[in-house]
Amino acid sequence: MFVTRELEMTYLVSGGTLFAAAFDVKTKMLAFKQPFFVGINTNTTHDSMLPPDVEGLFGMDDKHSKHDSILRFADDALERFMRSYLRDSRFGPTIFVLIADHTSGFHFSRFNHYRIPFLIYATDQSLARHLN
């Protein structure tokens, strides 16, 4: 697959590598010339470490700074993927649905345990027009 020994992590592969592979798959699917669906499941934020060449922005000394550094790494990987996607003029209007399987893990009530963060984004802003 797309895994190299240097980027292997406890959950198989880092988010940045996974998004790069997904970008390659999406590029190949352009040949279909019709709508299609691509799913990406990343577990970067479930990991307890970063790739060897990545320094934790908030440090890795305690539980909270490590957690924040891993979240930042995942956010950066997603941002790089989105920026690359949006810069590529071959891709037409696209709807992105970003969803988590749970919240960050710091729960202050039973209700917070069941909240599921998600975002729907249309590159052509078409969803916003339908909501107005």
Side-chain angles (χ1 to χ4, degrees):
M1 191 158 151
F2 302 99
V3 180
T4 64
R5 190 71 195 140
E6 293 79 36
L7 291 176
E8 191 173 313
M9 297 173 70
T10 57
Y11 276 92
L12 181 63
V13 66
S14 72
T17 303
L18 181 64
F19 287 129
F23 192 82
D24 289 344
V25 168
K26 174 77 169 112
T27 301
K28 290 174 184 160
M29 293 181 81
L30 287 170
F32 291 140
K33 306 266 190 243
Q34 62 185 0
F36 55 88
F37 174 84
V38 175
I40 304 169
N41 181 18
T42 176
N43 287 312
T44 300
T45 57
H46 290 86
D47 220 317
S48 60
M49 61 185 193
L50 294 170
D53 60 333
V54 175
E55 186 176 324
L57 182 67
F58 301 100
M60 299 294 280
D61 299 329
D62 61 68
K63 180 180 176 180
H64 292 292
S65 61
K66 183 186 288 190
H67 178 263
D68 290 346
S69 291
I70 291 169
L71 285 176
R72 176 59 185 258
F73 172 73
D75 287 348
D76 287 348
L78 178 59
E79 180 183 14
R80 283 190 307 275
F81 172 78
M82 293 297 293
R83 287 186 186 279
S84 295
Y85 189 94
L86 295 171
R87 274 194 306 263
D88 195 319
S89 61
R90 296 172 297 167
F91 301 128
T94 303
I95 297 174
F96 287 94
V97 179
L98 305 174
I99 187 166
D101 60 341
H102 56 78
T103 59
S104 68
F106 297 109
H107 307 294
F108 302 106
S109 74
R110 272 196 143 152
F111 177 73
N112 284 343
H113 182 73
Y114 296 100
R115 289 200 285 187
I116 307 296
F118 78 97
L119 171 77
I120 300 174
Y121 172 70
T123 58
D124 64 354
Q125 307 300 313
S126 58
L127 292 176
R129 285 193 300 270
H130 291 291
L131 294 174
N132 289 334

